[in-house]
């Protein structure tokens, strides 16, 4: 009897050990590194990139956004919780232009997951210079020497043509980490590129009727958009920084001279200062979002708002 009991104890102990081994060796469903179930975990810096990734990656990707909706990539700092999520990502798609978030955080991001592939979405894109528009009423906006350069403009995604290049880079990155689904990604990419091409043509037509090509924005995020459609961006901020009183007065004079009555403002910025300037020119503040997820719908809204403002 004692031997039978001992045998049962040994069998039970062996079963427990076997269960422990299986628990340690086999992956827990939904927790395998680099995936969420059957989906790849892909990290991006800003919200518009998430829209691009989902358009190409479809149901095969889960996107982690580092700069969350409502936050500014110029000042946002990565959190500990985000670093934990990054540890499971197989791919990081950085904007690649000098976005402050990436300049200050990429080293930490890479250190959190050294095995994660990093793809530069700006590959193949010409980075433009930001510049101050210092009340040069008679300038020809095709000549950059009429402006004071203040450094590279990081807002490359606010150009439909640049977005097409970014989408192609995203597709290439997904194929690198998941070659088995190459055809799926490339098919989605081609379909989205066709939509973006139609959007570019549509925006050009919307803005073709505008005679006053100048528009005023609080933060100079729309330089690439202006470059694509032959517009002149006039920024309240000088070089992306707070303006001084003499510059503000010149700005108001220029707005009056060219009958500009709208101050465009990003929703990530406080409205008070923009409303002050709008009041002085007898105009209004209109919100346009540089960080919307639905890129195509958002760019249509922006183009329509600018056409109405510049009539």
């Amino acid at each position: 009897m004692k031997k039978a009991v001992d045998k049962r104890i040994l069998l039970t102990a062996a079963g427990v050990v076997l269960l422990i081994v299986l628990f340690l060796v086999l992956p827990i469903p939904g927790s395998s590194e680099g995936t969420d179930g059957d989906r790849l975990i892909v990290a991006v810096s800003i919200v518009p990139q998430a829209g691009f990734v989902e358009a190409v990656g479809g149901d095969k990707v889960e996107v982690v956004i580092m700069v969350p909706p409502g936050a500014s990539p110029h000042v946002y700092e990565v959190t500990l919780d985000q670093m934990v999520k990054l540890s499971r990502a197989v791919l990081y798609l950085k904007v690649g232009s000098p976005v402050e978030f990436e300049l200050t955080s990429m080293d930490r991001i890479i250190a959190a997951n050294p095995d994660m592939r990093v793809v530069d979405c700006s590959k193949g894109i010409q980075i433009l210079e930001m510049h101050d528009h210092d009340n040069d009423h008679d300038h020809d906006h095709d000549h950059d020497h009429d402006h004071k350069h203040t450094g590279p403009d990081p807002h490359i995604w606010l150009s439909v043509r640049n977005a097409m290049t970014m989408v192609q880079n995203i597709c290439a990155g997904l194929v690198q980490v998941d070659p088995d689904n190459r055809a799926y990604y490339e098919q989605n990419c081609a379909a989205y590129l066709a939509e973006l091409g139609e959007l570019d043509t549509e925006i050009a037509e919307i803005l073709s009727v505008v005679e006053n090509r100048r528009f005023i924005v609080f933060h100079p995020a729309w330089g690439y958009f202006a470059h694509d459609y032959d517009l002149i961006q006039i920024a309240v901020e000088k070089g992306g920084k707070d303006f001084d009183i003499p510059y503000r007065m010149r700005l108001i004079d220029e707005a009056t001279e060219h009958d500009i009555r709208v101050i465009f403002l990003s929703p990530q910025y406080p409205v008070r200062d923009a409303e002050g300037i709008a009041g002085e020119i007898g105009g209004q503040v209109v919100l346009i979002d540089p960080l919307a997820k639905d890129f195509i719908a958002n760019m249509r809204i922006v183009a329509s708002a600018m056409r109405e403002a510049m009539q």
Side-chain angles (χ1 to χ4, degrees):
M1 177 65 71
K2 183 178 179 182
K3 289 184 179 181
V5 172
D6 290 343
K7 186 176 182 180
R8 286 197 298 268
I9 291 174
L10 289 172
L11 288 173
T12 302
V16 170
V17 170
L18 179 61
L19 286 174
I20 292 174
V21 170
L22 290 174
F23 179 80
L24 293 174
V25 173
L26 295 179
I28 301 172
S31 68
S32 57
E33 185 176 354
T35 65
D36 182 12
D38 294 328
R39 296 188 296 170
L40 299 175
I41 299 176
V42 178
V44 299
S45 293
I46 58 174
V47 174
Q49 287 179 288
F52 297 158
V53 175
E54 290 175 1
V56 177
D59 59 6
K60 298 189 183 302
V61 299
E62 177 191 348
V63 183
V64 176
I65 304 170
M66 301 306 294
V67 182
S72 169
H74 299 294
V75 297
Y76 187 77
E77 295 185 4
V78 66
T79 67
L80 180 59
D81 181 60
Q82 290 176 312
M83 299 301 279
V84 172
K85 291 180 180 178
L86 273 175
S87 67
R88 297 179 57 221
V90 296
L91 179 65
Y92 192 99
L93 296 160
K94 67 177 183 177
V95 177
S97 58
V99 176
E100 284 89 335
F101 170 76
E102 292 182 352
L103 293 176
T104 58
S105 301
M106 279 309 301
D107 287 346
R108 291 177 61 199
I109 287 170
I110 293 172
N113 186 351
D115 296 327
M116 174 177 62
R117 184 180 293 272
V118 178
V119 169
D120 185 346
C121 289
S122 72
K123 183 180 179 181
I125 293 175
Q126 179 184 1
I127 305 297
L128 301 179
E129 291 287 319
M130 296 180 72
H131 52 70
D132 288 340
H133 182 93
D134 278 335
N135 198 35
D136 185 0
H137 300 316
D138 298 322
H139 83 288
D140 176 356
H141 64 277
D142 289 329
H143 298 286
D144 287 343
H145 62 266
D146 289 327
H147 303 286
K148 178 183 177 183
H149 289 242
T150 58
D153 185 345
H155 307 90
I156 59 171
W157 64 92
L158 293 176
S159 156
V160 179
R161 298 163 199 177
N162 287 351
M164 295 174 75
T165 300
M166 295 178 74
V167 167
Q168 290 173 303
N169 290 332
I170 287 168
C171 180
L174 289 172
V175 169
Q176 287 175 6
V177 297
D178 187 19
D180 290 345
N181 286 304
R182 180 189 192 106
Y184 176 84
Y185 298 134
E186 291 183 344
Q187 181 179 1
N188 288 348
C189 180
Y192 194 56
L193 289 175
E195 290 185 60
L196 291 173
E198 293 174 0
L199 175 66
D200 183 31
T201 301
E202 181 182 338
I203 293 175
E205 291 176 354
I206 287 173
L207 297 172
S208 65
V209 300
V210 173
E211 294 183 4
N212 180 8
R213 312 298 290 182
R214 293 169 171 82
F215 65 96
I216 296 179
V217 295
F218 194 85
H219 177 70
W222 298 90
Y224 292 93
F225 185 93
H227 180 269
D228 283 355
Y229 305 113
D230 195 30
L231 306 176
I232 305 170
Q233 173 183 254
I234 304 170
V236 173
E237 291 182 335
K238 292 185 63 177
K241 299 178 181 180
D242 292 341
F243 55 90
D244 52 35
I245 297 302
Y247 180 79
R248 175 179 178 138
M249 297 309 298
R250 292 196 300 271
L251 186 71
I252 291 170
D253 288 344
E254 184 158 4
T256 301
E257 178 180 343
H258 296 288
D259 196 29
I260 301 173
R261 300 194 178 278
V262 169
I263 306 295
F264 289 109
L265 179 70
S266 303
Q268 293 80 20
Y269 285 78
V271 73
R272 183 181 62 183
D273 288 337
E275 285 180 335
I277 295 174
E280 294 187 59
I281 65 174
Q284 61 178 325
V285 174
V286 173
L287 296 179
I288 54 173
D289 192 355
L291 293 168
K293 186 176 182 181
D294 189 337
F295 181 80
I296 290 177
N298 185 57
M299 295 300 267
R300 286 194 177 111
I301 292 171
V302 170
S304 296
M306 287 193 176
R307 178 180 62 183
E308 184 175 347
M310 292 188 287
Q311 292 288 23

